[in-house]
Amino acid sequence: MPGFVYKAIGPDGKEKKGSIQAASSEQAIMRIKGDGLIPVEVAPENVLNKDISISIGGGKITSRDYCVFCRQMLAILSAGVSIINALQMLSEQTENVPLKKGIAKLADEVGKGETLSNAMRKQPKIFPSIFVNLVEAGEATGTLEVSFERMALQFEKDNQLQQVVKKAVTYPIIVGVVAVGVIFAMMTFVIPTFMGMFADMDVEMPAITQFVISMSDFFVAYWWMILIVVVAAVFLIKAYAKTISGRVLFGMLKIKLPVIKNVQVKSASAKFARTLSTLLRAGVPMMQALEITANTVEDNIHFQRAILSARDQVSNGSSLEKPIKMCGLFPPMVEHMISIGEETGNLEDMLENVAEYYEEEVTTATEQMMAVLEPMMILILALIVGVIILAILQPMMSLYDAVGAM
């Protein structure tokens, strides 16, 4: 969901600045007014105006941080401690700096008479919408401890999925960095040393050696330019990946490339089923639950759009199974289990079963992907190094033949 930065006038007459997540600028203005503020300026969030305070001095808030917070809140509230005291205690012992500050603000707001859910709603950068809605449902039904228990499980499973996927991409990245380092070292130091041996000798250089020498000369002369181009390329690709067209392109690659397709589809299916089951079980209305669920799969815009489209069709009277099937992104099992759940009135349990199944499948798919990537990366590295070694050995062999013929 896009972000907007705003300037507004508070009830005390002072100017306030902040950011908010909304589907459109009109919705952003409505939400700002709903917080008792008078909007003065609302603009789409971009690299220049983005609020980066969340990443200063404490890093990004991870699913593990949220899981620990929920577990601690559950334990403290179950012991009979009041919400204000619980928040004050956690604000002192939480290690993540942005979350620590967010909890401290919660304690201040709740101390002024705000409900916990409304206090969280004022900090959308710290507490995502799933937090707000589950806490709100818990407050309405008097089952706040149950809400925190469900959120702890939700973020725990989410963290496990993230760790599995992170493990899958770490190895190729390390091998790629090592490969680039080896090639750079050989081109700038090893090749010039060896080729200097043949400079004063009447040895005809093979075509492959000439090519490697030319590449080596380029590396030595323009290494700084290569470094700038690589850094600029990484920066531009990351910036492009955050645009709508970039998210569409990279999202499509994730679900089309055979090597990573299974991990992406199964991971998105598990996250979709787990989040929707958690929200529905807490009593969150279907339309709102689907919108929140769409935000949790924002790493792939195609799944996000499919879930938002499902929300629109369900609001017009369609079953959930129909749009999920029509989008063609989810595996058949997801469609069938949703259909069974809707027919039996047991959708939450069916979705939870789907989540558990695909959470296990993500691990299997990751292991299969690693089994393909590991030899592929080693083969590519061996091929590149082999070409360089061949370029060195060929003139050496020619030299030995020439000496032996004397």
Side-chain angles (χ1 to χ4, degrees):
M1 186 175 291
F4 295 85
V5 294
Y6 66 85
K7 293 180 182 179
I9 305 298
D12 55 1
K14 296 181 179 179
E15 182 180 87
K16 295 187 177 182
K17 297 180 180 180
S19 59
I20 192 170
Q21 300 291 317
S24 63
S25 58
E26 291 78 11
Q27 185 179 353
I29 292 172
M30 290 177 62
R31 290 184 60 182
I32 294 169
K33 290 180 178 179
D35 290 336
L37 303 174
I38 302 175
V40 176
E41 181 180 340
V42 178
E45 191 176 58
N46 55 49
V47 176
L48 297 178
N49 63 21
K50 186 176 182 180
D51 180 9
I52 60 172
S53 60
I54 190 171
S55 61
I56 297 176
K60 182 180 178 181
I61 305 176
T62 65
S63 295
R64 183 181 180 278
D65 294 321
Y66 286 129
C67 178
V68 172
F69 168 66
C70 291
R71 292 290 186 197
Q72 291 174 331
M73 278 293 291
L74 175 61
I76 296 172
L77 293 177
S78 299
V81 180
S82 67
I83 293 178
I84 295 178
N85 290 335
L87 291 171
Q88 290 172 343
M89 291 168 62
L90 292 180
S91 68
E92 294 174 359
Q93 67 186 53
T94 300
E95 296 179 359
N96 185 281
V97 176
L99 183 57
K100 184 185 185 75
K101 293 179 179 179
I103 296 171
K105 290 181 181 179
L106 288 183
D108 292 338
E109 292 289 338
V110 174
K112 295 175 183 178
E114 279 282 13
T115 62
L116 181 58
S117 58
N118 283 338
M120 287 181 169
R121 189 173 282 111
K122 293 180 179 180
Q123 300 185 70
K125 289 289 185 180
I126 304 296
F127 301 100
S129 53
I130 186 174
F131 240 117
V132 177
N133 285 274
L134 285 176
V135 169
E136 190 172 38
E139 289 174 330
T141 58
T143 56
L144 192 57
E145 291 90 344
V146 176
S147 292
F148 275 108
E149 186 175 7
R150 286 171 177 162
M151 283 190 291
L153 179 61
Q154 171 73 28
F155 288 118
E156 182 181 3
K157 294 294 185 179
D158 190 40
N159 180 62
Q160 290 174 356
L161 279 178
Q162 290 176 0
Q163 293 305 314
V164 168
V165 175
K166 187 180 293 185
K167 180 182 177 181
V169 301
T170 299
Y171 178 81
I173 290 175
I174 292 176
V175 173
V177 171
V178 171
V180 171
V182 168
I183 294 169
F184 190 83
M186 293 188 74
M187 285 295 186
T188 53
F189 301 107
V190 179
I191 297 298
T193 300
F194 273 92
M195 294 309 159
M197 298 168 53
F198 307 115
D200 299 327
M201 299 181 181
D202 187 18
V203 179
E204 184 178 354
M205 297 295 179
I208 188 172
T209 305
Q210 291 287 357
F211 172 76
V212 172
I213 291 175
S214 299
M215 291 295 295
S216 176
D217 291 341
F218 180 80
F219 268 77
V220 172
Y222 301 104
W223 64 267
W224 53 272
M225 183 183 296
I226 296 172
L227 186 61
I228 292 174
V229 170
V230 170
V231 172
V234 171
F235 177 80
L236 291 174
I237 290 173
K238 292 182 70 174
Y240 176 67
K242 294 179 180 179
T243 64
I244 296 297
S245 60
R247 292 179 64 195
V248 170
L249 174 61
F250 288 111
M252 183 59 66
L253 290 175
K254 288 179 182 178
I255 58 180
K256 291 295 184 182
L257 290 177
V259 179
I260 63 175
K261 176 182 178 180
N262 278 342
V263 174
Q264 175 67 54
V265 171
K266 292 177 180 180
S267 176
S269 298
K271 189 175 291 187
F272 161 74
R274 175 69 63 184
T275 305
L276 187 56
S277 173
T278 301
L279 291 166
L280 293 177
R281 200 177 292 278
V284 178
M286 176 64 82
M287 300 302 102
Q288 196 172 2
L290 286 171
E291 182 172 351
I292 296 170
T293 302
N295 292 333
T296 65
V297 293
E298 61 184 357
D299 58 322
N300 194 311
I301 193 172
H302 297 285
F303 282 97
Q304 187 178 36
R305 287 177 171 176
I307 297 171
L308 290 175
S309 175
R311 176 204 60 185
D312 296 337
Q313 294 184 51
V314 170
S315 67
N316 292 328
S318 172
S319 64
L320 177 60
E321 181 266 342
K322 185 177 179 181
I324 292 298
K325 182 178 181 178
M326 288 176 59
C327 73
L329 295 176
F330 293 94
M333 180 180 175
V334 178
E335 307 161 8
H336 297 322
M337 294 295 276
I338 289 176
S339 178
I340 295 171
E342 289 181 317
E343 290 175 3
T344 61
N346 200 19
L347 183 57
E348 296 89 339
D349 289 340
M350 292 297 104
L351 286 170
E352 187 170 347
N353 291 336
V354 169
E356 291 175 355
Y357 174 77
Y358 280 110
E359 283 162 358
E360 295 179 1
E361 282 293 298
V362 168
T363 302
T364 304
T366 301
E367 292 173 352
Q368 292 174 347
M369 184 178 73
M370 292 295 293
V372 174
L373 283 178
E374 286 182 15
M376 186 183 299
M377 296 289 290
I378 293 173
L379 182 62
I380 293 173
L381 180 58
L383 182 63
I384 295 174
V385 175
V387 169
I388 296 175
I389 293 175
L390 183 62
I392 296 173
L393 288 178
Q394 278 196 336
M396 290 182 67
M397 296 302 295
S398 299
L399 179 61
Y400 291 149
D401 292 340
V403 171
M406 290 180 180

